Amino acid sequence: MKLISLRLFIIALVTLLFAGCLTVDKKEYHYKVNNDGSGEGWIKFYNIKSAKDGEEDVSLKDFAELIDDYVKGTRFEDDNPSLQVTSKDLMEEDGKLNGLVKFKFNSLSEISFLYEEGCGCAPVYYSMGGFLSETFASSNGTYLGEGGGPQIIKWPAGTKDFSFTTTVSSDTTTVDLLNQYKAWKAGQK
């Protein structure tokens, strides 16, 4: 079995929203794999917000970091050199600020799947639920972590379309970033 050590990939993706004091309500992951193992994917971040630093509102600093380092900058690409990022967008949806990162990959090994090459075996993804406050919410696969089991999602052999959603727990007081986004967007015109 080829163990795919792409925990760094997940850590880097999570870093996008946990650098500084950024957080989200939930994250949706989607991967579509071609017959040769290459493919494309996206991660959607729902309700991006800034966690207060104690009583201090640091949302302006956090929003500036989101724009400068990730949307306009190359920090995501630098943290994930095996992925070919095709777009990074922020958008307002249902009164919330959401983000979407789209990318291509050359191999399942670049997106943290465990699989045996040349085998019709089911790929298994380590969701890392509980790590960095992410908790499994749903999937088009079977979650094996119920009742304290390993936090793994398994799909049937031959699956080419993989998706799952996690929730992100936040114990702190947060500030929505939608107003900063609207002001930034207006300044772009």
Side-chain angles (χ1 to χ4, degrees), residues 6-127:
L6 201 48
R7 289 183 180 203
L8 295 175
F9 169 70
I10 295 300
I11 290 169
L13 291 175
V14 172
T15 300
L16 170 64
L17 291 173
F18 287 100
C21 299
L22 294 169
T23 188
V24 297
D25 288 340
K26 71 178 183 176
K27 293 167 41 178
E28 186 176 338
Y29 300 80
H30 187 90
Y31 306 100
K32 186 170 184 164
V33 180
N34 301 319
N35 289 334
D36 66 356
S38 68
E40 58 190 14
W42 52 263
I43 300 170
K44 188 165 186 179
F45 303 90
Y46 289 88
N47 196 17
I48 303 169
K49 44 196 174 174
S50 170
K52 285 188 174 182
D53 185 7
E55 293 296 317
E56 185 180 351
D57 179 350
V58 292
S59 60
L60 291 175
K61 175 189 82 67
D62 286 344
F63 186 76
E65 181 178 344
L66 178 64
I67 297 299
D68 294 339
D69 293 352
Y70 294 101
V71 175
K72 289 183 175 181
T74 61
R75 187 156 175 191
F76 184 87
E77 291 86 338
D78 295 343
D79 291 344
N80 300 283
S82 62
L83 300 179
Q84 301 89 49
V85 173
T86 57
S87 68
K88 299 179 287 187
D89 298 303
L90 294 174
M91 73 281 302
E92 177 182 357
E93 295 176 322
D94 301 321
K96 306 290 182 189
L97 177 61
N98 297 335
L100 183 66
V101 177
K102 293 182 180 181
F103 50 85
K104 293 183 179 184
F105 52 89
N106 295 319
S107 165
L108 283 172
S109 67
E110 296 174 352
I111 57 172
S112 202
F113 279 83
L114 297 175
Y115 69 99
E116 189 171 336
E117 199 157 336
C119 175
C121 309
V124 177
Y125 178 85
Y126 278 86
S127 69

Side-chain angles (χ1 to χ4, degrees), residues 26-29 46 135-139 153 163-167:
K26 71 178 183 176
K27 293 167 41 178
E28 186 176 338
Y29 300 80
Y46 289 88
T135 304
F136 174 83
S138 64
S139 176
I153 304 169
S163 64
F164 62 94
T165 302
T166 62
T167 57

Side-chain angles (χ1 to χ4, degrees), residues 136 139-145 152-156:
F136 174 83
S139 176
N140 68 339
T142 302
Y143 179 61
L144 305 177
I152 297 171
I153 304 169
K154 180 179 179 182
W155 288 269

